[in-house]
Amino acid sequence: MTDAADLLTFIDASPSPYHAVANVSARLDRAGFERVADADRWAPAERAGHYLAKGGSLIAWTATPSRPDAGFRIIGAHTDSPNLRIKPQPDTGRSGLRQLGIEVYGGALRSSWLDRDLGLSGRVALRSGNGVDVALFRVGRALLRIPHLAIHLDRGVNDALTLNPQQHLSPIWGIGPIDEGGFLRFLARELDRDPSDVLSWDAMVDDVTPATFLGPGAELISAPRLDNLISCWAAAAALTSVGTDAVPPAHRCVICLFDHEEVGSESPSGAAGNLLPSTLERIVMAVGGDRETLHRALAGSLCVSADGAHATHPNYPERHDPTHLVQMNAGPVINTNSNLRYATDAISSARFKRACEIAEVPFQQFVMRSDMACGSTIGPLAAARLGVSTVDVGAAMLAMHSARETCGSADPEMLRKALGAFLHLE
Ligand code: ZN
């Protein structure tokens, strides 16, 4: 299977951050990595490496080198994407239609969710003895729809579309009066459980149309969640191939795939939390190091934050800096912002350029227009928390934060190779 086809498979199987973590876990299992639990005492890995999964986040690391003071080569990415999330008491409706109440998660392009066949996925907390069990669920069929208002009822819609998230984005999913408890009973049926067992959920809406190639030569990819499942996929592929590299990396290779980047990363499993620093400390301690060893290991570490990058939009070229135009299928993009919305500096940028040279893939450079505000990534957070030199890079894409994004079909392979070479950098 080509890299791009494998990416499409991964994206289609990962409608929520929890599913992305489950799918990366399965790939790590196949590559011989061993899962560890937060509450366990960690020992040196006897297999290819270890990984820790926590909700919608995952950190994985190689067993070699076993030296406690070995520096880290860290690839960071995020598992979440902007979408619509189901409220705790979602059953609502008007005008004889049943609807679900939603909240907008992250900076979604709201209009992109209209007139699509939408499914549901996420996790459900279930009654179990004196405690709670968690089950992933996925309804991969068309279940929900947010219809546009007909143009005859809003003649100005093509000049300005305003979508109030409370008023205009509740999906319809049936006909009849408001069905109190209907969503809960639906989940119970899907999970084959008694409704009284369903206590709560982290449920979200996804586009059920499969990811696909575009263009006469299949040069492009149309898919949901490219920001940032393309980087999660590439990071996992780079890490799992380390074991088959002719010369093993001299440093310990780590990938950290965080949830909650789209809403600021402040959570127990987010990039602004303690998950990565405490995991790195435990990795060092598991092989006999102490805090002094950890700080020596960090002093010799490098980090790459991989996230979506903006390809130049052909219909809006004026929105891009004219000397930093970015193309799809032209290699990973190094993102720079002198106000540190990206963590890149001259040194970290140069190191990533070396990785691209070694991997024999081209690279591109992006800066925002100087008169426009810049987005951000987990890069500056990781750099600040760890004190590790960090570069922000990513695959070029159009329509970032749309329910459906577009990228180049040659870029997944180039990003994977560049990240793989980064793991080998001195
Ligand atoms: Zn992103």
Side-chain angles (χ1 to χ4, degrees), residues 18-316:
Y18 316 112
H19 290 81
V21 165
N23 288 313
V24 172
S25 299
R27 286 167 182 244
L28 291 166
D29 289 338
R30 285 201 292 278
F33 284 68
E34 188 176 357
R35 185 175 184 141
V36 293
D38 233 353
D40 288 350
R41 176 179 286 277
W42 298 356
E46 288 168 8
R47 298 203 276 157
H50 278 148
Y51 68 94
L52 173 71
K54 187 169 186 172
S57 299
L58 177 144
I59 301 181
W61 58 97
T62 54
T64 54
S66 54
R67 240 177 41 244
D69 63 348
F72 299 103
R73 295 293 173 268
I74 304 167
I75 304 172
H78 66 88
T79 58
D80 61 325
S81 304
N83 60 15
L84 310 177
R85 305 250 167 146
I86 306 299
K87 289 182 174 177
Q89 295 175 174
D91 300 296
T92 183
R94 271 187 295 191
S95 313
L97 286 169
R98 289 184 178 148
Q99 292 172 280
L100 294 179
I102 57 89
E103 284 185 290
V104 177
Y105 175 86
L109 271 169
R110 295 174 193 166
S111 63
S112 68
W113 290 91
L114 302 188
D115 290 343
R116 281 182 193 281
D117 293 335
L118 303 173
L120 281 169
S121 72
R123 62 180 183 179
V124 184
L126 298 159
R127 188 184 308 280
S128 171
N130 284 340
V132 170
D133 246 1
V134 178
L136 298 195
F137 80 97
R138 177 181 197 180
V139 184
R141 62 185 187 276
L143 189 69
L144 307 163
R145 187 115 178 154
I146 310 167
H148 264 103
L149 182 63
I151 193 162
H152 317 80
L153 305 180
D154 181 4
R155 292 286 182 188
V157 67
N158 285 328
D159 300 320
L161 173 62
T162 303
L163 293 170
N164 177 305
Q166 177 71 21
Q167 230 185 323
H168 302 138
L169 290 181
S170 295
I172 58 171
W173 77 325
I175 292 181
I178 293 174
D179 180 21
E180 289 295 345
F183 182 73
L184 183 150
R185 288 194 301 279
F186 170 81
L187 276 186
R189 268 201 313 280
E190 286 290 318
L191 292 162
D192 202 17
R193 296 286 293 249
D194 192 89
S196 65
D197 289 343
V198 176
L199 298 172
S200 45
W201 49 79
D202 294 312
M204 58 202 77
V205 170
D206 66 277
D207 172 13
V208 297
T209 308
T212 184
F213 291 102
L214 278 183
E219 305 97 324
L220 298 166
I221 288 171
S222 153
R225 304 178 295 282
L226 282 171
D227 173 14
N228 189 13
L229 292 185
I230 187 171
S231 304
C232 293
W233 168 87
L239 188 77
T240 51
S241 68
V242 156
T244 57
D245 288 346
V247 181
H251 299 85
R252 191 181 307 285
C253 302
V254 180
I255 63 169
C256 44
L257 312 180
F258 289 110
D259 199 355
H260 302 139
E261 189 271 350
E262 299 292 359
V263 292
S265 298
E266 294 275 0
S267 81
S269 54
N274 195 39
L275 181 60
L276 182 59
S278 67
T279 302
L280 297 182
E281 181 172 1
R282 293 181 70 182
I283 292 169
V284 168
M285 289 181 167
V287 288
D290 55 16
R291 281 192 67 81
E292 168 71 9
T293 324
L294 168 69
H295 290 295
R296 284 183 17 240
L298 287 174
S301 296
L302 303 174
C303 178
V304 54
S305 160
D307 203 344
H310 296 295
T312 303
H313 197 303
N315 298 346
Y316 303 87

Side-chain angles (χ1 to χ4, degrees), residues 327-343:
Q327 293 186 327
M328 293 179 281
N329 287 348
V333 184
I334 302 171
N335 289 316
T336 304
N337 176 257
S338 63
N339 294 296
L340 293 186
R341 302 287 290 163
Y342 300 125

Side-chain angles (χ1 to χ4, degrees), residues 3 234 238 355 358-361 412-422:
D3 283 58
I358 293 164
E360 298 181 336
V361 301
E413 180 181 2
M414 288 191 274
L415 181 61
R416 171 182 64 77
K417 287 181 172 172
L419 294 179
F422 181 87

